[in-house]
Amino acid sequence: MKTKFLFILVLLTLCVFTLYALAQDIKKDKSEIIIPEFKKSTQIFEQNYRTWEVALEDLDSDGDMDAVFTSLGPATQILFNDGKGNFKKSDQKFPEGIHGIAIGDIDLDGDNDLFFAPLGKNQPSPTYLNNGQGFFERSNPKLSIEGSEIVRLIDIDNDGDLDAHVLWRNMIYLNDSKGNFSRSDLILPMIPFFSDLNGDNAIDIICLNMREGFKVYLNDKKGNFNEYCFFQKNDLVFSYLGFADIDNDGDKDVIFSNGNDKVKHPAGILLNDGTGKLTDSKQMLSQVAYGYIGTGDLNNDDFIDIIITDRENPSEIWLNNGKGKFINSGIKLGKGGDWNNCIIKDVDNDGDMDVFITKVYQESHGLWFNQLIPNKNR
């Protein structure tokens, strides 16, 4: 009995010392990490009518990030950046009922074009080609898609141009390199997210299987996908994914959220071995509902940090300690709300990454300027 008591005492002592050492490591990590500060922009981005997506890219070839706001009403619009993070509406008109937006060089002429996705079934899905200065002319007027929510531009068949994936019926529309799209017979697994997971410069897929886990499909460089591996996660209820080289080993790792309005599990990180095979890092991040993942270097230490949004609470920032481990910075942005996405870009051109958080229904979008590098314009 005495021996058993001593064994339990020793075990408890070891646990206490282990927890203490872990706490000291976390404290040390946080003390050595540069904590950025953010200041909210005073500009008000109005919610005219259910803005669903916001995209930030350089549209007028002046080197700064402009914005496109889609709307299910008549208010889809472009806002041009003055180079200091102040936005002004363009008077260009676009179709009503737009849900999704993707931006990329569709016709390979060196500037960013627009691909809109309407919500209704068999509605025209207009593409707009850029004249290089941010003025757009409608193209491919006969293209219609079988209902959509979200569109993404990716080179699915590895021929050097951007094809369109439309989420809803999971369709691929192939580009002829001139910005003309036609429906493909390529079949994709359901609920796909796209990234080059094995470093062969072809876009691969990781798919969500609710209550089961994640499946990885590798691209044969012709747009055909073969199942490669499966990561089991039986508590997966709802997830958005982000891709970034978390541990600086040269491949894309996977950051995932895991929660809905009924159940919230910790977000986490799957580490890539370079071939697309994933293992759990065992890190537990924010517990959120319908959380989007934003990635970028927020404190200019050359390591990728993470922002996780929450439908119900403010977004949280997790900072990389340089070893692929994340520390909760304690920074919270926004108030939470319906379907908020997160974009990390240098909006005011001062050399540090700013944060744009979108709102779908209530309140307005929010832009937070990073104060890491002093900006005379702020």
Side-chain angles (χ1 to χ4, degrees):
M1 187 72 178
K2 186 175 180 180
T3 303
K4 184 176 181 180
F5 174 78
L6 288 174
F7 174 77
I8 294 173
L9 182 61
V10 170
L11 185 62
L12 287 173
T13 303
L14 287 173
C15 288
V16 169
F17 274 110
T18 300
L19 290 173
Y20 176 79
L22 180 61
Q24 292 300 110
D25 285 343
I26 293 174
K27 183 177 179 181
K28 181 181 179 182
D29 282 339
K30 193 166 184 178
S31 68
E32 293 177 351
I33 292 176
I34 300 170
I35 307 294
E37 295 182 8
F38 292 88
K39 181 180 179 181
K40 189 173 183 180
S41 169
T42 57
Q43 184 167 1
I44 297 175
F45 301 93
E46 297 178 355
Q47 278 280 24
N48 291 320
Y49 185 85
R50 290 184 65 183
T51 300
W52 190 262
E53 279 204 281
V54 177
L56 297 181
E57 294 291 346
D58 183 8
L59 299 177
D60 52 3
S61 304
D62 64 352
D64 56 42
M65 294 291 110
D66 307 303
V68 180
F69 291 63
T70 69
S71 173
L72 297 183
T76 291
Q77 58 190 303
I78 289 175
L79 284 75
F80 288 114
N81 190 343
D82 67 356
K84 302 175 183 178
N86 305 304
F87 290 87
K88 183 179 179 180
K89 294 179 183 178
S90 165
D91 59 3
Q92 298 179 71
K93 304 296 183 183
F94 298 100
E96 298 183 7
I98 296 298
H99 192 289
I101 172 67
I103 300 179
D105 186 3
I106 291 173
D107 55 358
L108 300 182
D109 66 348
D111 53 38
N112 281 314
D113 308 302
L114 308 178
F115 192 116
F116 289 119
L119 187 60
K121 182 178 179 180
N122 292 324
Q123 296 295 312
S125 184
T127 55
Y128 281 80
L129 300 182
N130 193 340
N131 71 349
Q133 298 178 333
F135 293 93
F136 294 87
E137 181 176 352
R138 186 166 177 168
S139 175
N140 210 22
K142 295 182 180 180
L143 176 67
S144 63
I145 56 181
E146 298 182 20
S148 67
E149 286 186 349
I150 297 172
V151 60
R152 294 292 176 257
L153 290 174
I154 41 139
D155 184 4
I156 202 78
D157 53 1
N158 214 43
D159 64 350
D161 58 38
L162 294 174
D163 309 302
H165 170 257
V166 178
L167 181 65
W168 183 271
R169 293 178 181 264
N170 210 23
M171 299 294 185
I172 286 289
Y173 294 83
L174 295 177
N175 189 346
D176 68 355
S177 298
K178 299 178 182 179
N180 300 306
F181 291 85
S182 58
R183 180 176 164 179
S184 165
D185 293 329
L186 293 174
I187 299 175
L188 299 188
M190 294 302 292
I191 320 181
F193 289 80
F194 301 93
S195 184
D196 179 7
L197 295 173
N198 62 352
D200 67 350
N201 296 316
I203 295 296
D204 306 305
I205 290 176
I206 178 170
C207 290
L208 310 182
N209 291 267
M210 302 309 175
R211 303 293 180 184
E212 295 182 16
F214 302 95
K215 283 187 179 181
V216 172
Y217 296 80
L218 298 183
N219 193 335
D220 68 355
K221 296 190 177 184
K222 297 179 182 179
N224 302 302
F225 294 88
N226 300 303
E227 184 175 343
Y228 177 66
C229 65
F230 174 72
F231 180 85
Q232 185 173 356
K233 190 164 183 60
N234 295 329
D235 68 351
L236 188 64
V237 293
F238 190 92
S239 183
Y240 285 103
L241 305 184
F243 299 92
D245 186 2
I246 293 301
D247 49 5
N248 279 21
D249 64 351
D251 54 44
K252 293 291 183 67
D253 306 301
V254 180
I255 309 100
F256 65 90
S257 62
N258 188 14
N260 55 30
D261 52 6
K262 295 180 180 179
V263 180
K264 296 182 181 180
H265 298 298
I269 297 169
L270 304 178
L271 297 177
N272 189 348
D273 70 350
T275 72
K277 185 177 181 180
L278 305 173
T279 56
D280 193 349
S281 73
K282 305 297 185 182
Q283 298 185 65
M284 292 187 291
L285 309 179
S286 307
Q287 295 184 205
V288 298
Y290 303 107
Y292 280 84
I293 305 296
T295 60
D297 182 5
L298 293 168
N299 56 3
N300 285 15
D301 63 354
D302 296 325
F303 301 110
I304 296 296
D305 307 304
I306 297 171
I307 296 181
I308 305 175
T309 71
D310 190 346
R311 188 173 179 177
E312 301 171 354
N313 300 295
S315 303
E316 295 185 347
I317 294 179
W318 292 76
L319 299 174
N320 194 330
N321 71 351
K323 303 173 184 178
K325 303 293 183 182
F326 288 86
I327 308 300
N328 193 332
S329 70
I331 299 172
K332 298 180 183 295
L333 302 179
K335 299 179 181 179
D338 289 319
W339 298 102
N340 46 347
N341 197 356
C342 174
I343 305 171
I344 299 176
K345 301 271 188 178
D346 184 3
V347 175
D348 55 0
N349 280 355
D350 65 350
D352 54 35
M353 291 294 182
D354 309 304
V355 179
F356 197 106
I357 296 177
T358 68
K359 309 284 284 187
V360 174
Y361 295 109
Q362 300 175 352
E363 302 179 10
S364 63
H365 310 290
L367 170 60
W368 281 264
F369 293 113
N370 196 333
Q371 305 298 294
L372 191 66
I373 296 177
N375 189 323
K376 297 179 181 178
N377 301 312
R378 298 282 142 232

